[in-house]
């Protein structure tokens, strides 16, 4: 099973987990996903878009830790004109530009799941489900599907 993790998923363990129970549960879910990847039960896919977005983080410690998490990915998607073209179509659907780039990368690699913590992405995806080529789910919903399948 191929999985693309949105940038917010990689950042979740570094958020203020004490402020909201949801963040704590999502960070724990992320660690379970990492364990599944280490056990080769899922195939995590990264991209140039993830690397670019991570490089914009101002905290060098956080940036470095997230960069090291990309090492668990089995594949890396390189940006090209077709990915950018598809991302522009996704912007027209209502996705934000960077989110569109991530989604376009995920579609290009034919991932089974695009996993995110971003409720806005999920809402826009639900409105455009018939026009998307991968399943977009929250971290918690992904674990429910994978662990109970």
């Amino acid at each position: 099973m191929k999985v693309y993790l949105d940038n917010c998923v990689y950042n979740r363990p570094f958020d203020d987990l004490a402020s909201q129970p949801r963040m704590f549960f999502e960070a724990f879910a992320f660690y379970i996903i990492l364990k599944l990847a280490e056990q080769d039960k899922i195939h995590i896919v990264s991209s140039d878009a993830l690397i670019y977005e991570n490089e914009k983080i101002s905290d060098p410690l956080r940036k470095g830790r997230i960069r090291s998490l990309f090492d668990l990915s089995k594949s890396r998607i390189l940006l090209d004109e077709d990915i950018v073209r598809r991302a522009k179509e996704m912007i027209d659907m209502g996705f934000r530009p960077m989110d569109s780039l991530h989604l376009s990368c995920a579609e290009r690699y034919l991932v089974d799941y695009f996993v995110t913590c971003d409720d806005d992405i999920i809402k826009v995806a639900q409105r455009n489900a018939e026009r998307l080529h991968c399943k977009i789910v929250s971290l918690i919903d992904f674990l429910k599907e994978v662990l109970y399948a």
Side-chain angles (χ1 to χ4, degrees), residues 21-60:
R22 173 186 172 172
M23 288 183 185
F24 175 82
F25 287 117
E26 287 176 341
F28 188 71
F30 176 61
Y31 289 125
I32 294 171
I33 289 171
L34 294 179
K35 193 66 173 170
L36 291 171
E38 287 174 348
Q39 297 169 347
D40 288 326
K41 293 182 179 177
I42 63 172
H43 177 113
I44 296 178
V45 178
S46 70
S47 72
D48 285 347
L50 281 169
I51 292 165
Y52 168 77
E53 194 168 9
N54 187 56
E55 288 305 311
K56 292 171 48 177
I57 294 173
S58 59
D59 179 350

Side-chain angles (χ1 to χ4, degrees), residues 33-134:
I33 289 171
L34 294 179
K35 193 66 173 170
L36 291 171
E38 287 174 348
Q39 297 169 347
D40 288 326
K41 293 182 179 177
I42 63 172
H43 177 113
I44 296 178
V45 178
S46 70
S47 72
D48 285 347
L50 281 169
I51 292 165
Y52 168 77
E53 194 168 9
N54 187 56
E55 288 305 311
K56 292 171 48 177
I57 294 173
S58 59
D59 179 350
L61 183 61
R62 182 177 188 150
K63 182 190 308 186
R65 287 180 174 167
I66 292 170
R67 187 183 309 122
S68 72
L69 293 171
F70 294 154
D71 292 342
L72 281 173
S73 64
K74 301 286 185 189
S75 306
R76 178 174 162 196
I77 302 161
L78 304 176
L79 295 179
D80 63 25
E81 290 179 21
D82 290 334
I83 288 173
V84 172
R85 189 175 309 115
R86 176 64 174 150
K88 289 177 182 176
E89 292 173 11
M90 291 178 169
I91 291 169
D92 292 339
M93 291 180 209
F95 292 103
R96 292 180 299 257
M98 201 67 215
D99 298 335
S100 298
L101 202 53
H102 289 302
L103 286 164
S104 182
C105 287
E107 284 188 350
R108 165 58 71 80
Y109 201 78
L110 303 173
V111 301
D112 300 294
Y113 290 93
F114 179 94
V115 181
T116 185
C117 301
D118 190 326
D119 293 337
D120 291 335
I121 292 174
I122 293 171
K123 287 176 190 172
V124 176
Q126 288 170 341
R127 288 194 307 266
N128 293 282
E130 70 285 346
R131 298 170 63 193
L132 300 172
H133 307 295
C134 63

Side-chain angles (χ1 to χ4, degrees), residues 8-15 17 23 26-27 62 117 139:
C8 59
V9 173
Y10 286 100
N11 277 277
R12 183 56 82 210
F14 307 105
D15 291 335
L17 304 181
M23 288 183 185
E26 287 176 341
R62 182 177 188 150
C117 301
L139 253 170

